[in-house]
Amino acid sequence: MTIFVWLLVAFIMTIGFSYTNEWSLGSNSFVTTDIMSQYFTTPALALIYQIVMFFITTLIILTFVNTTYVFLQSWKWISFVVTALYIFSLVSWKLFPENLTKVSLSNYVAMYQTLNLWKSTFTTPIMAIISIVLIYLVLQFKDGKLKVSLTSFQMGIAVYLSIVVLGTYFMTDIRSNTVIDLFLLNFFGTSSSGYTLMSYLYYIVVFFGFLYLTQVYLTREFSELSYYKIIRYSSMFKWMGEWLRKILLMAMLYLAFIFSLTLIVAYSRGMEFSLQVTVVEDMTFASLLYHFFINGLLQLSIYLLLMITLQIVFKRSSTNLLTIAFYIALLFPGYKYIPVGLNGYSHLINGSSPIVISLYLFLVALIEGICIFYLLKKKYVLEGV
């Protein structure tokens, strides 16, 4: 209702003016339109953004008030909270010093103020997501008991993803002009001609961190192996195919998450949202995308298949941990023809073809798959069950 009244008043005030979908020559004369025109090509987009973000901000405030009522369950207390919130909004608007402007509620109602403060159009959506997650977690402690029971594995995933988000945020390279530039530099990786320490460490966190979580899942899957489970799946191949398909699907979703996260972080740090690569010559967006998703999935598959092979043969999780450490050592430059870290962009920059890399990775994965097929056919995995 508030938004409707606001739009109606805005419409009445524009009666008598000519209508156009372009910014006028006088837009730069006003602070509001000057800031909005820097982020939106037309006034219509700016208006839609203002309406949506105002709705989200209002929704966050209402959700906070409702959550407070769930715990207090008293109209007197909730009236006090609402009054205190109203007074805080007025005080923060008029009396807060410049160094406290980011906690002023008024700066999140008028979106031009939010844009001027944070220099990003993603600020309000990100705050909304964080607020919803925090409110959800707080509600789990109602009545003094945690309603959602998280396993150690799920907690590990949450901690790992938090580390990935923080690592991506602090990996900003000053050489980046566009969001794709930052994506390429972040996943530079290593090659025989050299590497950067930050890209080396980032590769370890992003890919070998995912591999470690996969190893934990594999250990649990093999430890729960029994003749009853084998009978339920009717064959060893169906048993392995069931969870291997899940892991590969998670790998694809994980790559999509990393790609989206990097673009969002890059844009929020003020880089141009463009799909052009400016830091490297003769690098197209199509080849960059192909190399990350196709060769990235093939590279993860090679890591994974070798871990499965060693798990079947040695039946100890410690072997896979040593394998991951071995991978990390081989990631250093100087090792040629080793299928480790080939999904880094340094190989494309040095002249390697992404198609040739795909064929090589596919051949290695095929050999590993044949070895696993042989071990399953010989029922080697059943020894000791």
Side-chain angles (χ1 to χ4, degrees):
M1 185 64 182
T2 304
I3 296 177
F4 174 77
V5 173
W6 177 46
L7 290 175
L8 181 61
V9 172
F11 175 77
I12 294 174
M13 292 180 66
T14 57
I15 294 177
F17 291 91
S18 59
Y19 288 93
T20 177
N21 197 31
E22 301 292 338
W23 293 104
S24 65
L25 296 177
S27 297
N28 296 333
S29 303
F30 301 94
V31 176
T32 304
T33 52
D34 181 42
I35 294 174
M36 298 294 272
S37 63
Q38 296 175 22
Y39 294 89
F40 303 99
T41 55
T42 64
L45 290 176
L47 178 63
I48 293 172
Y49 177 81
Q50 170 67 65
I51 294 172
V52 174
M53 294 304 105
F54 179 78
F55 175 78
I56 292 176
T57 302
T58 306
L59 187 63
I60 293 174
I61 296 174
L62 291 176
T63 305
F64 169 75
V65 173
N66 290 333
T67 304
T68 305
Y69 179 76
V70 168
F71 282 89
L72 300 179
Q73 295 187 356
S74 169
W75 284 110
K76 292 182 179 179
W77 276 106
I78 204 66
S79 299
F80 172 77
V81 171
V82 172
T83 303
L85 193 63
Y86 179 74
I87 294 174
F88 174 78
S89 62
L90 292 177
V91 171
S92 63
W93 177 38
K94 289 292 186 179
L95 302 178
F96 271 22
E98 187 175 350
N99 60 336
L100 293 178
T101 53
K102 289 186 178 181
V103 295
S104 174
L105 291 181
S106 62
N107 288 329
Y108 301 96
V109 176
M111 288 304 110
Y112 80 93
Q113 293 178 329
T114 309
L115 293 174
N116 189 43
L117 189 64
W118 292 93
K119 311 300 182 184
S120 172
T121 56
F122 287 101
T123 302
T124 302
I126 291 174
M127 287 185 174
I129 294 172
I130 295 174
S131 300
I132 291 172
V133 172
L134 291 176
I135 290 172
Y136 173 78
L137 293 176
V138 168
L139 288 175
Q140 308 315 309
F141 287 92
K142 188 178 180 295
D143 301 326
K145 295 181 180 179
L146 180 63
K147 295 183 178 181
V148 177
S149 177
L150 297 177
T151 64
S152 57
F153 181 67
Q154 291 171 329
M155 287 296 294
I157 293 176
V159 172
Y160 169 67
L161 292 179
S162 300
I163 294 174
V164 169
V165 172
L166 290 175
T168 304
Y169 183 82
F170 289 109
M171 272 291 290
T172 304
D173 196 307
I174 58 174
R175 295 173 294 174
S176 305
N177 299 313
T178 67
V179 293
I180 295 300
D181 287 342
L182 180 64
F183 183 79
L184 183 145
L185 293 173
N186 279 4
F187 293 95
F188 180 83
T190 64
S191 67
S192 57
S193 62
Y195 73 107
T196 63
L197 179 61
M198 291 301 296
S199 62
Y200 173 79
L201 295 176
Y202 188 68
Y203 186 97
I204 292 175
V205 171
V206 171
F207 292 103
F208 293 138
F210 177 82
L211 201 62
Y212 172 76
L213 292 176
T214 305
Q215 181 269 331
V216 174
Y217 176 81
L218 281 177
T219 301
R220 185 179 62 182
E221 192 66 35
F222 276 86
S223 65
E224 296 175 352
L225 180 62
S226 63
Y227 283 105
Y228 170 77
K229 180 175 284 190
I230 296 170
I231 293 172
R232 188 179 67 177
Y233 284 100
S234 73
S235 73
M236 295 297 301
F237 297 102
K238 288 185 178 180
W239 165 71
M240 179 167 288
E242 179 72 19
W243 52 262
L244 184 59
R245 184 169 61 251
K246 292 180 182 178
I247 293 177
L248 292 178
L249 176 61
M250 289 305 300
M252 288 187 288
L253 293 175
Y254 177 71
L255 292 175
F257 166 75
I258 292 297
F259 179 76
S260 303
L261 174 66
T262 307
L263 297 191
I264 292 173
V265 169
Y267 187 69
S268 67
R269 298 298 293 267
M271 297 174 194
E272 181 185 355
F273 193 85
S274 171
L275 302 182
Q276 293 182 346
V277 180
T278 63
V279 293
V280 178
E281 296 181 358
D282 302 325
M283 175 77 72
T284 63
F285 175 70
S287 61
L288 182 142
L289 205 63
Y290 173 89
H291 186 66
F292 180 75
F293 283 100
I294 303 301
N295 291 340
L297 183 62
L298 287 172
Q299 184 69 81
L300 285 174
S301 300
I302 289 175
Y303 297 151
L304 175 63
L305 291 174
L306 180 58
M307 288 175 57
I308 293 174
T309 304
L310 296 176
Q311 183 73 39
I312 294 174
V313 174
F314 295 103
K315 298 178 176 61
R316 290 196 302 269
S317 59
S318 58
T319 305
N320 282 336
L321 294 177
L322 292 175
T323 304
I324 294 176
F326 185 62
Y327 283 146
I328 294 175
L330 290 179
L331 194 61
F332 277 106
Y335 298 98
K336 294 184 177 181
Y337 312 114
I338 302 296
V340 176
L342 294 182
N343 56 327
Y345 286 115
S346 59
H347 298 280
L348 299 190
I349 294 173
N350 292 330
S352 299
S353 169
I355 304 298
V356 174
I357 294 176
S358 297
L359 293 175
Y360 177 58
L361 292 175
F362 178 78
L363 179 62
V364 175
L366 181 62
I367 295 173
E368 291 179 334
I370 293 174
C371 293
I372 294 175
F373 178 83
Y374 173 80
L375 293 173
L376 291 179
K377 190 174 182 180
K378 293 296 183 180
K379 296 182 173 58
Y380 197 88
V381 71
L382 295 177
E383 295 185 8
V385 175

